[in-house]
Each structure stands twice: as C-alpha cells, then as structure tokens.
Amino acid sequence: MTQKSSTTDPKTGSEPSTDTFASLDPRSGDVIAEYPIADAAAVAEAVDRARIAARWWDAQGSRGRREWLLEFKKAVAQDATSLARLISRETGKPYGDAFLEVMLAIEHLDWAAKNAKKVLRARKVPSGIASFNQAAALEYKALGVIGVIGPWNYPVYTPMGSISYALAAGNAVVFKPSELTPGVGKWLEEKWNSIAPTQPVFQVVTGLGETGSALTRAGVDKIAFTGSGPTARKVMAVCAESLTPLVAECGGKDAMIVAADADIDKAVDFAAFGAFGNAGQTCAGVERIYVVESVYKEFLDKLTALVKRAKPGGSDESTYGPMTLPRQIDIVRSHIEDALASGGTAVVGGTESVGERIIEPVILTDVPETSSAVCEETFGPTVVVNKVRDLDEAIDRANGTAYGLGASIFIGNKAKGRELAERLRNGMVSVNSVLGFAGIPSLPFGGIGESGFGRIHGADGLREFSRPKSVTVERFSSPLKLMSLERPERDLNLSVKMLKFMHGR
C-alpha cells in the first residue's frame, strides 16, 4: 500500500516526494503505521551525514566506541519487551520467539563492542629472511560508511549481526530495513538517538526495493545484504557498477542428519523447532532430514506425534504465527504439490494445510531429491524426512543442493559427529543441536554457493567491515642492493646462492 502527495518547495520550486507505504500486521492485514519512502536524494543525504559522523566515530577510538556501544546495548536491553512486542506485531511471530531474537541480538552487540579492540588491534608480523631489515605491521582500518539491507524474518537479530560489527569496527551505518518490518528499524534508530542525538552514526532509511537500490548506489563503502539469492544477484550487479564490495547472506536448504545411535527424542525435539519455528521462515532452519534406516520409523513416528500437537495461529500462545510475506505462501504450496506429484507422501498435512495467512505443519516423506521440495528453499512450515542406508549416503544427499549455509548432525559418537561435520559442504554445522552456532557471538555466520559469501559475527565479522593495511618500516639498510636500477652483479649472484640454499635443497 503506497500513498503519494506533494507540495512545492518555495525555495527550490521543486515538488519533493512524500510517498509513504504501510506496515501491515500479517495476522490480520491491519495497518500498523505509515512510513516514508526514501528516494535517491534522501538516501544520498543520509549517506553524506553518515560520512561526516564517521569521522567523529573514528575519533572516539576503540575504547570510546566500546563505551558508546555498551550504552546503546543498555538502552535496547532496558526496553527489550517493547521491541519484542513490535517484532511480534510486524512479523506475526509469537512474543516469546520475538523476545528470544532480541536476546540473541543483544548478545552479539555486547560481544562486538567488547572484542573489537583485541581483534582489530595493530600487530607485528614476521618479515621473513628476504626482508629481514624491515619491521612489518598489520593494521585494520574502518571502511567508512556501511549500507545494511535487512530481512523481515528476523528483523533485529539478522541485521544487527552486520550493524553491531560494522559499528564496532569503526564505521557509520545506514540501515534499510525490510518494507515488512520498518518499525523495528526506526525503533533501533530512536534508541541510538536517545544516547547520541547529534551524531548520526546509525541511521535508518525506510522504503521499498528502490530505496535499497538507491542505498547501493549512494557511494557507501560496503553493502551488507540479507535476502534471497536472486535478489542478491541484482544487488551484486548494482554494486559492480562502482566496485562496491558486498557481503551476502542468502537462503538455505539446511539438512539434518540422524544417525543410528542418536538420542531420538532430542533429535525429534530439535527437528520440530528447526523446521516449524518461526513458521519455517528461517534461512538456517531445518528443511531436509536424512535418517538412517534402522531408526527411521521411530524418528518419523515421534516427529509426527509432536508436530500434530502444534497449534499455529495469531496469538502469543500459538506454536508459530502466520506467513509474514504473503507471496511466499504460493511457493510453499508449489513445493508441496511437486513433492506429492513426484511420488512423495504427506504423513502430516498436505496441500489443504495451506491457508490464506497460516500454513499448518506439513511433513513429507519419500520425496525424490530432484523435487523442488528438496533442492529449492521452501521457507515455510514444511519438512522432508527421507530414509538413507547409512551416514555416507546422508552426507552425499546433504551436499546435493546448490545451497551451503548450515546443517545439523544428531549422533551418539561425538567424535564421529565432528568428522561428519568436516565433510559437509557449508559454512556452519551443529552437532546434537539445531542453530547452535547462531547464539555464539564468537563464531562467524555465513554460507557458500547459493547461500552467499562473506561472514558476519565473530572476529571474521569484525574484519569483514574493516580493511587491512600493511605498513613496513626499514630498520636498517639492506646489505644487498636488489631494488635498484643499478643492481650490482655481486648482489645478484649472492641472491642466487641464497635462494638455492634456502629453498632449493
């Protein structure tokens, strides 16, 4: 829903756009609030302000930035229930799930603030024999202004994984939240302004896809994008116009593997949470489960019984809420239809589970690996549970899609679990839990292939928003004059002998 009106500016004679769009409650379709659509000029102005604020932010030093960010964290934590309520209203997820998201986001903000100095400090590095007369140091510098384009499914946890680490690394941030969750972005901006009202180090621009494109073209020093692979390709193409670097966290088709010696009750509990939590709208959730045949029936029976007790709906007591993005409903329906048409079986639910706003849980079995339900991201409350002969087949099938975000393995032998984790082609693995890596701030988060590239969180996340700078200082003149237009033949001959002695034996 967009609205438009305009008035002539008496100074310029132009008619500045006052386009707005509505944030809707996915549980009812009711309008929550109206937000401005920032056009290219408004986005450029925000980036210009950020560029100036970045100089102030850099002057604070690592210790000063730590204190500011911990004050920001405190302001968010003190009003966390308000933020969780807003998340719940804009996404439709139950309050408890929304509050958990806020908790995890605060943990990451805390870690980034407290560890940036240690991770990004200048340090000496070895010079090597060939340059033994040089003292070498590695420094990390802030990039400048980071543009963050956030998602709607976890509108605080996910973008704060970029915002927190970018700020801690010394950058200013301009954040474009999803058009489905703009209020969450504005809430965060207001909390920053409550502690630093004159320093626009963190700004929010609201709008639709065009606003995101404008941010990508506004001269920022890096874009942090979270969304689908097809959209990431479009963002990447725009970034290529100006060689703007990009970190992209895209979709997933994460697999769970259940071994014969696994704790089945535990695996079932985590499988249900990973597949149906947040209505399945989790990029690193569980979409495929491969169970060794000796425990397949036990696992499927217990998962079926648990999932049948789920009560999706629009209240805080619901197991999960409605689909936040209406058009995703058609994708979920098509995947169920393709699975059944390909010979799969629905042991819980089916196409009749797909409602206007809410999708009842669906468990599919015996689905061919070529079905869209197996090889494409569904992003809904469905899961495919397939039987495998052994763990080797499970690994092969888990690696069988173009995605490579996360995975989970349930197994009694933890050493074997670590070995299997090494064989999975992805960025993250949890053994005997689901999404275990997401709550640990020191671990990087990201994938490969269709799941994107680059990392947020952890030391790698801090360095993602920094640029390494190499510095050498000559300690004394080299006894060999090699870097010269008048290189002595004697020095070259000595170098030949040194090379053979050092590396040719």
Side-chain angles (χ1 to χ4, degrees):
M1 178 187 299
T2 62
Q3 298 178 350
K4 182 174 181 178
S5 63
S6 63
T7 58
T8 301
D9 187 320
K11 293 182 179 180
T12 64
S14 63
E15 294 187 348
S17 173
T18 56
D19 286 10
T20 64
F21 69 101
S23 171
L24 305 179
D25 187 329
R27 295 168 294 192
S28 62
D30 294 342
V31 174
I32 299 172
E34 294 278 343
Y35 294 91
I37 298 176
D39 59 15
V43 172
E45 289 172 2
V47 172
D48 288 343
R49 289 192 297 269
R51 189 75 60 192
I52 296 171
R55 293 196 286 269
W56 171 83
W57 191 235
D58 181 64
Q60 303 307 299
S62 56
R63 178 173 294 182
R65 289 191 293 272
R66 169 189 165 120
E67 296 308 313
W68 280 106
L69 290 174
L70 291 179
E71 281 298 310
F72 183 37
K73 178 198 75 169
K74 182 179 177 181
V76 174
Q78 287 179 338
D79 205 12
T81 54
S82 166
L83 178 56
R85 287 292 177 200
L86 179 57
I87 294 170
S88 177
R89 194 172 185 199
E90 286 198 318
T91 65
K93 67 178 67 176
Y95 169 80
D97 289 352
F99 190 80
L100 175 60
E101 179 182 345
V102 175
M103 286 179 60
L104 292 175
I106 289 173
E107 286 292 320
H108 280 278
L109 177 55
D110 181 72
W111 192 93
K114 292 178 178 178
N115 288 274
K117 181 179 180 180
K118 178 176 65 176
V119 171
L120 301 177
R121 73 183 187 278
R123 63 180 186 272
K124 296 178 180 179
V125 296
S127 301
I129 297 298
S131 300
F132 68 99
N133 67 315
Q134 301 278 353
L138 174 61
E139 302 174 354
Y140 287 94
K141 300 294 185 182
L143 293 171
V145 178
I146 306 299
V148 177
I149 301 175
W152 48 264
N153 59 328
Y154 291 95
V156 170
Y157 169 76
T158 300
M160 284 297 283
S162 297
I163 293 165
S164 299
Y165 292 82
L167 289 172
N171 304 282
V173 170
V174 179
F175 173 38
K176 190 272 176 190
S178 166
E179 56 267 34
L180 300 182
T181 55
V184 171
K186 295 302 290 185
W187 190 99
L188 292 170
E189 182 186 45
E190 289 168 6
K191 277 292 176 281
W192 173 262
N193 290 338
S194 72
I195 65 168
T198 64
Q199 300 297 339
V201 170
F202 174 57
Q203 299 175 78
V204 171
V205 290
T206 56
L208 309 179
E210 294 79 4
T211 302
S213 296
L215 180 58
T216 306
R217 289 189 167 96
V220 296
D221 297 287
K222 191 164 196 172
I223 287 287
F225 169 81
T226 304
S228 69
T231 304
R233 287 176 172 83
K234 295 176 182 177
V235 174
M236 195 171 180
V238 175
C239 286
E241 296 172 5
S242 55
L243 290 181
T244 300
L246 170 72
V247 51
E249 197 268 282
C250 304
K253 192 69 182 178
D254 288 9
M256 171 192 280
I257 294 173
V258 182
D261 63 342
D263 181 332
I264 299 300
D265 290 333
K266 183 176 183 179
V268 164
D269 192 42
F270 271 111
F273 172 76
F276 301 103
N278 201 34
Q281 300 167 121
T282 302
C283 58
V286 176
E287 295 212 1
R288 302 175 290 152
I289 305 176
Y290 298 109
V291 188
V292 171
E293 57 185 352
S294 60
V295 293
Y296 176 79
K297 185 178 185 305
E298 179 187 1
F299 176 90
L300 185 60
D301 288 347
K302 289 184 174 181
L303 179 63
T304 298
L306 191 159
V307 170
K308 283 183 175 179
R309 297 195 296 270
K311 292 181 172 57
S315 73
D316 288 342
E317 289 69 43
S318 301
T319 306
Y320 60 82
M323 299 296 288
T324 307
L325 182 64
R327 67 173 180 269
Q328 192 67 29
I329 294 173
D330 291 335
I331 294 174
V332 175
R333 181 188 293 109
S334 71
H335 284 195
I336 298 171
E337 290 172 346
D338 187 73
L340 299 178
S342 301
T345 301
V347 295
V348 174
T351 53
E352 70 280 4
S353 302
V354 182
E356 183 179 352
R357 298 185 186 277
I358 293 173
I359 300 178
E360 300 283 339
V362 177
I363 298 178
L364 302 162
T365 63
D366 301 320
V367 181
E369 297 295 301
T370 54
S371 169
S372 59
V374 173
C375 59
E376 297 177 15
E377 186 176 41
T378 305
F379 223 59
T382 75
V383 68
V384 171
V385 184
N386 279 344
K387 183 192 305 181
V388 292
R389 295 185 307 274
D390 51 31
L391 293 174
D392 288 334
E393 183 182 3
I395 292 291
D396 287 343
R397 292 202 187 189
N399 289 337
T401 74
Y403 294 94
L405 191 55
S408 55
I409 301 168
F410 285 80
I411 190 168
N413 186 333
K414 295 178 182 177
K416 180 66 174 178
R418 291 190 182 93
E419 176 190 325
L420 294 171
E422 292 296 318
R423 294 169 58 188
L424 286 169
R425 181 185 169 275
N426 56 19
M428 306 165 292
V429 182
S430 287
V431 177
N432 290 335
S433 71
V434 166
L435 293 169
F437 43 77
I440 301 176
S442 56
L443 284 177
F445 187 102
I448 61 175
E450 192 69 19
S451 294
F453 51 84
R455 293 295 182 267
I456 58 175
H457 302 173
D460 290 89
L462 288 167
R463 296 189 185 107
E464 189 75 53
F465 299 107
S466 308
R467 58 179 176 87
K469 184 174 182 178
S470 302
V471 178
T472 62
V473 178
E474 187 182 65
R475 296 186 294 176
F476 54 85
S477 297
S478 173
L480 298 178
K481 193 176 180 181
L482 299 178
M483 294 186 178
S484 172
L485 294 180
E486 298 178 341
R487 184 183 301 115
E489 184 176 354
R490 168 187 169 278
D491 290 4
L492 181 59
N493 290 337
L494 283 173
S495 297
V496 171
K497 292 178 181 179
M498 287 175 56
L499 180 67
K500 291 181 179 179
F501 179 78
M502 293 168 56
H503 301 292
R505 292 186 300 167

